[in-house]
Amino acid sequence: MANPLSYLSEQLEAWRREGTYQTLKQLETACAPVARFDGREVINLASNNYLGLTNHPKLVEAALKATRELGVGSGAVRTIAGTMAIHMELERRIARFKKTEAAVVFQSGFAANAGTVAAVLTPEDHIISDELNHASIIDGCRLSKAKIHIFPHRNVKAAAQILEELDSAPGRKLLITDGVFSMDGDIAPLPELVELAERHGAIMMVDDAHASGVLGANGRGTVDHFGMHGRVHIQVGTLSKAIGVLGGYVCGSRDLIEFLYHRARPFLFSTSHPPAVAAACLAAFDILEQEPERIEQLWANTAYFKKALQAAGFDTGASQTPITPIMVGEASRAHEFSRALFEEGVFAVGIGYPTVPKGKARVRTIVTATHTREQLDRAVEVLARVARRMGILGKAA
Ligand SMILES: *Cc1c(COP(=O)(O)O)cnc(C)c1O
């Protein structure tokens, strides 16, 4: 009998032919600046572990202590019997950190975005969304069944035009953007977008997954970075990147959070975090406040690495943050570059269509606070050598 799933095998075969087929690299050590993947020691420019917190002794200790005292699981979804005291403590802590009335924690940043957008809007409403917003925002928009209006990346004028055209239309409007864009490392024009939302009575929502722990005082995110406290209605953040653990959260008014407790589907229908996750996250927020030098080091490393890449002749796109793309053009070439780098001891992922537009494929690098200068120098040397060999950089560079 024919296999009804054979079309999947055909698609996989096509990806193999195109050179875009991906295998999962296995991390055989902790996530660290130099780590072993698939048996090879590499300089790790592929993690989101911005502050090196994934294996920080204080987080590890907090997780172990919580596990010993409270076990490995919460036993239920939040709305039934799975709200532990430590979950509430983490939400209060996040709200205080972000200077908002309240916060709710989700299992992931993905669940936070998708669950929130889908909960607060109805099919009669309108979403005005940056074209490069994260997949979890896109899925939330689709789940809400609201009408989706996409504006070109960071184009405030285009967003304004959409909102003007919608002024007489019924329904609520949600203006939504990533704070830091995950593929380009550029920052949203938040002050202009906030003004626009205020002018048109729209709800303003920011996804600060890559900005939390990175931008603003003690890593409070883009809202703090731009001095927009109190003017962004819905702030999303992740506990999976700079915080080093797992999870996502939404911050805003007490009523927004209470509403999400009643209506956000991942909150209602998926089990809450193990106590170890909440405990480790609490320890991470302590570190953000007590060790600001980690964030300073992150930015010093970012400036150092970007300058070295540009001096080597690389096109680093429009990045303003520790995410630095190296533009190469075609997807297959980006993957080929990434594979060659890995062989030479540098791990940086190749990213092509459909994650980024056709012709804009790149290898994405992310530096962390814990990379040493020697590691960054070595990475640039390898990047330049491999790029010259492949003709990505001119021979003279
Ligand atoms: C990573 C990311 C998410 C998802 O966060 P997780 O906690 O990994 O699920 C959401 N939004 C943006 C912009 C991201 O980069």
Side-chain angles (χ1 to χ4, degrees):
M1 233 198 299
N3 175 0
L5 282 178
S6 62
Y7 64 102
L8 302 184
S9 315
E10 285 156 24
Q11 179 63 73
L12 287 168
E13 198 41 54
W15 288 333
R16 282 192 194 94
R17 278 195 307 274
E18 283 168 13
T20 54
Y21 177 86
Q22 299 279 38
T23 52
L24 302 174
K25 284 198 173 53
Q26 289 184 46
L27 176 56
E28 295 154 351
T29 60
C31 174
V34 172
R36 194 172 67 243
F37 288 88
D38 291 352
R40 191 184 289 275
E41 291 265 317
V42 290
I43 299 172
N44 185 2
L45 299 178
S47 90
N48 302 307
N49 186 18
Y50 289 109
L51 303 176
L53 297 186
T54 56
N55 52 353
H56 191 292
K58 283 184 185 163
L59 274 73
V60 172
E61 203 41 57
L64 289 172
K65 183 165 173 283
T67 302
R68 281 195 205 95
E69 287 171 9
L70 299 167
V72 294
S74 69
V77 302
R78 290 283 304 272
T79 47
I80 298 189
T83 295
M84 294 176 129
I86 199 165
H87 294 132
M88 298 308 292
E89 188 185 347
L90 178 59
E91 290 182 344
R92 286 192 300 273
R93 185 63 197 271
I94 292 170
R96 202 173 77 217
F97 180 75
K98 288 282 191 167
K99 304 186 189 218
T100 58
E101 274 179 26
V104 50
V105 170
F106 288 81
Q107 298 83 357
S108 68
F110 197 107
N113 269 326
T116 299
V117 177
V120 299
L121 296 182
T122 70
E124 281 68 54
D125 301 330
H126 297 270
I127 299 167
I128 301 91
S129 175
D130 188 291
E131 66 178 336
L132 295 189
N133 278 346
H134 191 258
S136 54
I137 292 179
I138 296 169
D139 283 15
C141 294
R142 289 176 183 162
L143 284 167
S144 76
K145 300 199 178 76
K147 292 159 203 81
I148 302 167
H149 310 264
I150 308 288
F151 59 91
H153 183 46
R154 297 181 78 251
N155 190 329
V156 178
K157 261 202 180 134
Q161 196 176 342
I162 295 168
L163 277 160
E164 273 158 33
E165 284 165 13
L166 289 173
D167 266 342
S168 54
R172 296 175 194 88
K173 285 99 194 181
L174 172 77
L175 179 55
I176 186 165
T177 184
D178 280 13
V180 169
F181 290 86
S182 52
M183 296 301 149
D184 292 81
D186 51 352
I187 303 174
L190 193 60
E192 292 85 352
L193 292 175
V194 165
E195 265 181 39
L196 202 55
E198 287 172 350
R199 191 146 13 103
H200 294 276
I203 305 159
M204 185 73 223
M205 176 166 172
V206 176
D207 172 7
D208 256 349
H210 281 283
S212 307
V214 174
L215 275 173
N218 301 90
R220 285 183 169 78
T222 52
V223 171
D224 187 89
H225 173 74
F226 286 114
M228 298 277 118
H229 286 291
R231 297 173 69 186
V232 172
H233 306 98
I234 309 178
Q235 292 186 57
V236 170
T238 177
L239 302 166
S240 327
K241 288 176 174 140
I243 299 300
V245 193
L246 172 71
Y249 56 86
V250 176
C251 298
S253 67
R254 167 59 58 194
D255 285 353
L256 168 70
I257 302 313
E258 296 271 341
F259 182 88
L260 293 174
Y261 280 178
H262 287 82
R263 281 291 179 274
R265 291 170 72 82
F267 186 87
L268 291 162
F269 298 110
S270 184
T271 297
S272 54
H273 281 153
V277 169
C281 291
L282 280 163
F285 283 99
D286 285 345
I287 289 167
L288 287 186
E289 285 176 334
Q290 290 162 9
E291 301 178 22
E293 60 276 12
R294 280 181 184 266
I295 299 176
E296 284 159 26
Q297 190 60 46
L298 171 65
W299 283 98
N301 282 354
T302 297
Y304 182 83
F305 189 65
K306 257 193 229 305
K307 199 165 154 218
L309 286 176
Q310 285 157 3
F314 283 112
D315 173 2
T316 58
S319 167
Q320 301 165 275
T321 67
I323 301 171
T324 307
I326 295 174
M327 310 305 288
V328 303
E330 287 316 307
S332 59
R333 212 158 149 70
H335 294 302
E336 194 190 334
F337 186 31
S338 172
R339 274 194 295 274
L341 290 169
F342 188 76
E343 295 295 312
E344 303 280 341
V346 171
F347 185 14
V349 282
I351 298 170
Y353 181 82
T355 309
V356 295
K358 280 194 171 139
K360 294 245 176 111
R362 75 269 327 251
V363 160
R364 182 180 68 164
T365 65
I366 301 181
V367 299
T368 71
T370 45
H371 283 96
T372 64
R373 289 295 153 95
E374 187 274 330
Q375 288 160 354
L376 296 178
D377 288 343
R378 197 145 44 91
V380 173
E381 185 274 315
V382 170
L383 280 155
R385 179 155 45 81
V386 174
R388 276 196 294 273
R389 192 173 76 211
M390 289 180 58
I392 290 166
L393 281 182
K395 298 273 180 224

